[in-house]
Amino acid sequence: MREDVAALKRRFPRITSHLSQSVLDEGLSRCGTGWHSIIFEALARIDAFLDDEHASRFSLRQIKEKWGDLRIYWRLLPAPGDPEVDPKPMRIDIEGEHAILSHLWPDDVRNAVEGEITAARIRATKTCEVCGAPGDAQAHGRVRITCLTHSD
C-alpha cells in the first residue's frame, strides 16, 4: 500500500502536494488495489487537463471507499490575494452532490474535473475492489464491489 501512495505522490506532485501522507495512506488502504488503476487514470486525466495555475490551486483532500462507492474529495484553493470563499471540499460521492464552487473556478475546468471523478466512480461500481476484474455490489455486513472469486 505504501508503494502505491508514494507512486501517487511522485506521479502527480502538482495535485497531491496539499494532501497529507497519512490521509492519502488511510484513504488508499480503504480502497482495494483493484481500484488503484481507476484512481491513477482519473488523476492522470485531471493532472493533464489542469494548467499550472489551476493545478497549484487544486487540492486533493481525500480518496476512499465508502458503502461500496469510490469517493474522491477535492477543493479549490483561493488564488493569492483572493478571499477564501468556500472552505468545504468538493464532494463527488454516492449521491453525486457537491458543495457550490466559487466563481473563481472556470466552468470548463470544474466540469472536466467533476467529469473525470464521476467517470472513475462509475467504473469503480463495476470493478472488483480486490483484483480489478469486472464486479458487482455484494452486501455481506458491508457493501463491497467484488467479482465472483472475491465475493465471500
Side-chain angles (χ1 to χ4, degrees):
M1 186 60 55
R2 196 163 278 291
E3 302 85 37
D4 286 338
V5 171
L8 194 77
K9 288 192 77 92
R10 263 193 324 273
R11 187 166 169 200
F12 308 111
R14 295 182 331 144
I15 62 174
T16 60
S17 63
H18 301 285
L19 189 59
S20 76
Q21 184 75 24
S22 62
V23 169
L24 192 54
D25 238 351
E26 179 188 336
L28 279 181
S29 69
R30 290 180 68 187
C31 294
T33 56
W35 283 3
H36 288 194
S37 65
I38 295 170
I39 294 164
F40 272 66
E41 287 174 26
L43 294 180
R45 287 187 177 104
I46 290 168
D47 188 58
F49 182 81
L50 297 176
D51 61 24
D52 287 340
E53 189 268 330
H54 288 112
S56 70
R57 295 173 55 208
F58 179 88
S59 177
L60 185 61
R61 308 303 288 174
Q62 190 175 33
I63 301 170
K64 67 180 184 178
E65 176 276 333
K66 186 173 182 181
W67 303 106
D69 190 57
L70 175 61
R71 310 236 179 155
I72 299 175
Y73 300 95
W74 63 282
R75 68 177 288 222
L76 167 68
L77 297 174
D82 285 344
E84 181 138 347
V85 176
D86 185 359
K88 295 180 183 177
M90 288 296 299
R91 295 175 32 145
I92 303 297
D93 58 23
I94 198 163
E95 294 86 22
E97 296 176 359
H98 54 79
I100 296 172
L101 281 173
S102 79
H103 66 285
L104 305 172
W105 196 260
D107 286 344
D108 62 331
V109 176
R110 181 188 68 225
N111 291 340
V113 170
E114 287 180 355
E116 292 302 336
I117 292 172
T118 299
R121 186 185 137 262
I122 291 168
R123 277 190 58 207
T125 65
K126 302 172 187 172
T127 304
C128 178
E129 296 173 37
V130 178
C131 67
D136 203 0
Q138 309 290 328
H140 299 287
R142 75 177 191 88
V143 178
R144 296 183 65 203
I145 309 298
T146 59
C147 63
L148 292 176
T149 303
H150 297 108
S151 65
D152 53 18

